[in-house]
Amino acid sequence: MKRGFAWLLTLLALLGLLSGCGGGGDTAAADTATSADTADNGTAASGGSYGAWAETEVAEDSGQAEDGASDRLENAKMIYTARMEVETTAFDTAAADLRTLVEILGGYFEQAAVHNYGSGYRSGDYTVRVPADQFQPFLDRVGTLCHVTYQEQTSENVSEAYYDAESRLATQRTKLERLQNLLAQAENMEDIITIESAISDTELEIERLTGTLRQYDALVDYATVHLSLQEVYQLSNVEEPATSFASRMGAAFASGWRGFVGALESLAVALAYGWVWLLLLAAAGTAAGRILWKRRRRARQAASKEPENKP
């Protein structure tokens, strides 16, 4: 019975140590609590050696953390994201050039869709992933392939979260190894059940942290660009900026004329799409006009015959 209780006490002390490693600032409190528990239960021999071993492990972990501090500063984990809206008068060529560019730079399309809403002009929505070191070259090259109307870039430093998750993962792996060693030495069924439960929880935490790091690695290694490609008849805002009053007035008239022509073209395209309905409406209007004309003719004839029938 005492032996089983000693195993349980050792397990609790181990869990307290690992919690102290994760928190950093609570290490001294954890060591104090471990020493107090050892003295109260009369297990000074085994508890004392365990406490000394625990202090050594904590010191080693702290030393490793200090050694890795400089490496963390030099290896910042950055996530780059951009959003671009571009125009082109040659949609097929621009889309093909875009795919070639992504392939050359070692990237891939995470999502791609082309839409045609009946206006006669197509649009494409793409989510492109390119290596982080090719992020800016990709944006610059897209600007030469298409006319950029909007561009936004963001960067996020996730170094603290990344290295924290990495440190926690290392701690959990060490915890799992030690729990497995305890399980191999356990003889009491109650201790075995307790240790196996702790092992299961630790394995789940390891899987969670591994998935978090894998997600961070994917976002850090490959930048994300959300790209919208719009097919247009004429590129917008491509003229040189006007400086004088006359040039500004000329640019305004030219822009107004292009807008008027563009509206007429859009109207013509819409009429071309709806010619069947226009034909039906014209036929219905003609039929209604003929009916009204006949009714009015009959009414005039009836009105002209009324005086002749009077006595």
Side-chain angles (χ1 to χ4, degrees):
M1 183 66 179
K2 292 182 179 180
R3 188 171 185 178
F5 183 80
W7 275 109
L8 182 58
L9 177 62
T10 303
L11 175 62
L12 295 176
L14 176 61
L15 295 177
L17 166 66
L18 294 173
S19 299
C21 292
D26 298 333
T27 303
D31 293 341
T32 303
T34 303
S35 300
D37 291 341
T38 303
D40 293 341
N41 289 282
T43 56
S46 60
S49 61
Y50 179 81
W53 169 79
E55 292 176 358
T56 302
E57 292 294 326
V58 172
E60 291 178 355
D61 292 342
S62 301
Q64 293 175 357
E66 292 176 358
D67 294 338
S70 58
D71 294 338
R72 295 183 182 184
L73 295 177
E74 297 176 358
N75 300 284
K77 299 296 182 179
M78 303 296 297
I79 297 177
Y80 297 103
T81 308
R83 182 174 299 277
M84 297 185 70
E85 295 179 4
V86 298
E87 294 177 340
T88 181
T89 56
F91 186 87
D92 293 330
T93 301
D97 291 342
L98 179 61
R99 291 187 177 277
T100 301
L101 176 62
V102 172
E103 182 179 354
I104 291 176
L105 295 182
Y108 62 94
F109 286 88
E110 191 173 70
Q111 182 268 339
V114 177
H115 311 283
N116 187 344
Y117 297 108
S119 62
Y121 296 102
R122 292 163 292 177
S123 63
D125 293 320
Y126 307 96
T127 300
V128 182
R129 303 294 303 278
V130 294
D133 57 349
Q134 299 296 330
F135 176 64
Q136 193 60 48
F138 175 79
L139 299 181
D140 296 339
R141 184 58 180 166
V142 171
T144 64
L145 297 176
C146 306
H147 175 59
V148 180
T149 59
Y150 175 81
Q151 180 173 329
E152 178 187 8
Q153 297 177 229
T154 60
S155 60
E156 180 183 4
N157 190 340
V158 295
S159 300
E160 183 177 356
Y162 183 92
Y163 289 116
D164 179 69
E166 192 175 55
S167 176
R168 290 178 181 273
L169 178 61
T171 300
Q172 292 298 319
R173 285 174 174 170
T174 302
K175 176 181 177 181
L176 178 62
E177 182 179 355
R178 293 170 181 173
L179 286 173
Q180 290 172 342
N181 292 335
L182 287 176
L183 181 62
Q185 300 173 13
E187 297 179 356
N188 184 281
M189 182 58 64
E190 182 179 357
D191 294 341
I192 293 176
I193 295 175
T194 303
I195 296 174
E196 286 182 343
S197 177
I199 288 177
S200 178
D201 294 339
T202 304
E203 289 176 340
L204 290 176
E205 183 66 11
I206 289 176
E207 292 180 3
R208 186 187 69 82
L209 292 171
T210 301
T212 299
L213 289 175
R214 188 180 297 114
Q215 183 180 11
Y216 275 136
D217 286 334
L219 294 174
V220 170
D221 294 341
Y222 281 80
T224 304
V225 180
H226 302 284
L227 182 64
S228 176
L229 176 63
Q230 182 68 43
E231 183 181 23
V232 295
Y233 173 75
Q234 185 175 9
L235 301 179
S236 61
N237 302 325
V238 294
E239 66 272 3
E240 293 294 329
T243 55
S244 65
F245 175 76
S247 59
R248 290 170 60 189
M249 288 295 295
F253 278 115
S255 179
W257 175 253
R258 286 196 300 268
F260 176 71
V261 173
L264 290 180
E265 291 175 351
S266 299
L267 178 60
V269 172
L271 293 176
Y273 274 100
W275 68 271
V276 175
W277 291 103
L278 291 176
L279 183 61
L280 292 176
L281 289 175
T286 302
R290 289 176 62 86
I291 295 174
L292 291 175
W293 180 77
K294 289 181 178 180
R295 288 180 178 179
R296 291 178 180 177
R297 183 180 178 183
R298 292 174 182 173
R300 287 196 298 268
Q301 291 177 353
S304 61
K305 291 181 180 178
E306 285 180 358
E308 299 178 357
N309 296 329
K310 292 182 180 180

